Amino acid sequence: MELVVAIGIGVLAGSGVWLLLRPRTFQVIIGLSLISYAVNLFIFGMGRLRTGVPPIIEPGTVGNIALHDDPLPQALVLTAIVIAFATTALFLVVLLAARGLTGTDHVDGRERDQT
Amino acid sequence: MSAWSNHLVLVPILLPLLAGSAMLLYDERRRALKAAINLAATFALMLTTVALLATAAEGIPPQVYLLGDWPAPFGIVVVLDRLSAMMLALTSVLGMAAVLFSLARWHRAGVHFHPLFQFLLMGVNGAFLTGDLFNLFVFFEVMLAASYGLVLHGSGIARVKAGLQYIAVNLIAASLFLVGVSLIYGVTGTLNMADLAVRTAEIAAEDRGLLHAGAAILGIAFLIKAGMWPLGFWLPTTYVAAVPPVAAAIAIMTKVGVYVLLRLSLLVSAGDGVEGSSLFATTLLLYGGMATIAFGMAGILAAQDTARIACFSILVSSGTLLAAIGTGRTDVTAAALFYLVSSTVAVSTFFMLIDLVERGREFGADMLALTREAFGGPDAVEGEEDEEVGIPVPGIMAMLGISFMACAVLLAGLPPLSGFIAKFALLSGLIGRADAGTAAGITATTWTFVALLILSGLATVIAMARAGIRSLWGPEERAVPRVRVIEMAPIAGLLLLCVALTVQAGPVLAYMQATARAIHAPDQYVGSVMKAPRTRPDPAEGSR
């Protein structure tokens, strides 16, 4: 399982970085989204990968760490998802504004052959 | 201490949040009301932070506020110590000046200026106050989200293009931030900064590499914010594009990165007994900082308009601070803190001043008009031309000239103003300590740093003299800019603050030295956070 998750994160991050370096704003925003997925999975992985164990202690029992999952990274991922979503939406608006104002979707605001 | 003043620590976060949210309820046409709320909230914030600074200056241990009354390593804490009190006061003073300045015309250049401004203050204050790594991330994002809006304030092609790149760079930095935080959490199992300082000492040797990787990735996120040399190319473009009051307000944002680096590197390395692990990144900071000074210096000399000089001055200031942190000495850190206050105030003032000085000039009259056109002309979208209500300041050219000179002197670090004292303290910290008896004497690196400090001052003087002659003494025909009192007042106020810093340099430096000692030996900080008393005893103790 670790290998699958690790490869998954690697593929997402790698594709994200490649897209980020492309000249079109749409490619950049997709790249940023892929990187944020990779980061979210990574945070999740830092709580150690386990299946079938609860993250919370039942009332009235004394918890045993070995039988529980770490709830904190899950909470962090939730926050990170919300923030990444909001900033991506904001970036999308700026992207549209740039497209409208410059008339091109190049990240520099002008095509390479134009000067 | 009464219960009332305990809660004062939260005001710098809650007040801007409430004021900003309240303003969102009003229609954009109620601009006067929004301006009034913004002004009142910022003024109240300034009074609060000055009160907090006065409390912190009394030398009491750091004040810890447990949110929801959860005990320290589990709940979220807000910590006010000398360093954060100082940064808060600096933020609110600059915020106040920027708000006043914006009221003259710039706040009408676009929508939602006032709420965004309050959210920016909230994010910056939160970043200074929090004692928790993940909350630091959240406050960073609040600050950045507000700054995205503010940089785009006024719209126009130049701003949108600069904003696009600024946002992309900062989203990458946010990803790196999260990767670093989660790596550190994965190794140490904590996000509380004080707890982190305790735990790093207990990390097994085989996990240490992972911890270092996490700290390094986290550090890169902050270095992007601070604008260290290979990571700071976004900074000049963004700051030139932003409207002047916004540039003046977000000048503090680069210092947030520096603040966090200072706090975290010392906190983590102090709890770290292992040689080679402690201070493992300081060499990088030292060389990176010096490279930043060199880059900023080249930029200042090459800058073709005055606003770019101010932007590259920010880079020089960041570089100086990073290199000073990189030396890892208490006395140098104290001097660096003084330099931080002085240079940030000077750069902010300069951003606002440039707007006034350049106002009377026709852009075509510039002797570099040709080059300017080649690289894209100045932004056509100005604020709405207002009908110059209000009282114009008499003798404006003289006042502008004096202010310009004061800014130049402050930025270059010449006597008699506080910039000189800051640089002198830095130099004496760098050279003096070696005299006192380390066997190695002054290393070549230290000499390079000293030389760069002095050379960057020289570069600033040359560039500022050129810009000043061009814009104030030039023989060209020019209309005398009409400047209103509300625009001149914040500039005069900030410059007077620098004069006060100069006159009261003794007490201020003493405060900085106490601050530097406290952050270099963070036992007290760690102790205060970990042993912070809860307001009510644990109810679960009896029932179980």
Side-chain angles (χ1 to χ4, degrees), chain B residues 154-468:
Chain B
S155 198
I157 291 181
R159 287 188 192 116
V160 170
K161 263 159 61 178
L164 193 76
Q165 285 159 14
Y166 173 63
I167 297 176
V169 167
N170 277 296
L171 288 182
I172 294 301
S175 299
L176 289 174
F177 196 145
L178 280 174
V179 170
V181 165
S182 55
L183 263 177
I184 288 179
Y185 176 77
V187 177
T188 63
T190 184
L191 289 170
N192 184 298
M193 292 186 201
D195 199 21
L196 204 60
V198 180
R199 299 264 186 112
T200 41
E202 300 158 1
I203 297 296
E206 63 265 25
D207 287 343
R208 209 156 266 283
L210 211 52
L211 177 72
H212 288 181
I217 293 174
L218 194 62
I220 287 175
F222 298 130
L223 288 175
I224 292 177
K225 302 287 192 302
M228 196 176 84
W229 166 57
L231 308 170
F233 295 121
W234 58 272
L235 196 144
T237 328
T238 310
Y239 278 58
V240 167
V243 299
V246 169
I250 61 177
I252 190 78
M253 275 176 50
T254 58
K255 304 301 183 286
V256 180
V258 173
Y259 160 86
V260 179
L261 279 172
L262 182 62
R263 163 139 291 161
L264 271 186
S265 67
L266 291 173
L267 206 54
V268 173
S269 65
D272 206 342
V274 184
E275 192 59 39
S277 176
S278 60
L279 304 175
F280 76 101
T282 50
T283 325
L284 178 81
L285 280 183
L286 183 58
Y287 288 110
M290 292 199 300
T292 315
I293 301 178
F295 173 67
M297 210 163 83
I300 285 181
L301 286 177
Q304 295 183 351
D305 66 44
T306 328
R308 284 197 96 83
I309 298 183
C311 297
F312 283 105
S313 303
I314 293 185
L315 285 182
V316 170
S317 154
S318 271
T320 310
L321 288 168
L322 291 176
I325 295 172
T327 60
R329 298 184 196 161
T330 315
D331 42 357
V332 180
T333 310
L337 290 175
F338 192 89
Y339 179 80
L340 188 155
V341 175
S342 169
S343 67
T344 313
V345 172
V347 168
S348 275
T349 318
F350 193 44
F351 268 120
M352 296 190 276
L353 185 66
I354 291 166
D355 182 41
L356 301 186
V357 170
E358 303 275 308
R359 183 172 297 172
R361 309 178 64 218
E362 286 174 31
F363 288 107
D366 202 304
M367 65 175 187
L368 290 158
L370 270 178
T371 345
R372 206 188 263 279
E373 266 163 31
F375 287 100
D379 195 9
V381 180
E382 293 290 319
E384 299 165 27
E385 283 305 317
D386 53 315
E387 56 285 354
E388 299 290 345
V389 286
I391 322 140
V393 181
I396 187 61
M397 285 317 282
M399 283 193 73
L400 288 181
I402 290 171
S403 306
F404 196 94
M405 219 143 85
C407 277
V409 162
L410 275 169
L411 287 174
L414 292 178
L417 287 179
S418 56
F420 171 69
I421 296 175
K423 277 211 173 159
F424 187 80
L426 267 177
L427 293 178
S428 90
L430 283 171
I431 303 175
R433 152 89 179 266
D435 288 340
T438 35
I442 306 172
T443 58
T445 320
T446 311
W447 277 125
T448 320
F449 185 23
V450 167
L452 274 173
L453 266 181
I454 295 171
L455 278 178
S456 69
L458 178 67
T460 314
V461 170
I462 293 172
M464 292 289 268
R466 202 177 56 191

Side-chain angles (χ1 to χ4, degrees), chain A residues 4-86:
Chain A
V4 175
V5 173
I7 291 175
I9 295 174
V11 168
L12 280 175
S15 326
V17 170
W18 188 76
L19 281 175
L20 192 71
L21 299 174
R22 304 296 301 157
R24 304 287 153 200
T25 46
F26 186 72
Q27 293 167 320
V28 170
I29 200 165
I30 295 297
L32 282 169
S33 307
L34 290 183
I35 288 179
S36 84
Y37 297 151
V39 168
N40 289 340
L41 280 175
F42 183 82
I43 301 175
F44 210 70
M46 277 296 118
R48 307 296 183 268
L49 296 169
R50 307 190 52 188
T51 49
V53 285
I56 45 172
I57 300 172
E58 304 248 335
T61 60
V62 178
N64 178 359
I65 292 181
L67 299 177
H68 288 279
D69 200 11
D70 191 345
L72 198 68
Q74 305 180 12
L76 300 188
V77 166
L78 198 60
T79 318
I81 289 173
V82 173
I83 291 181
F85 178 69

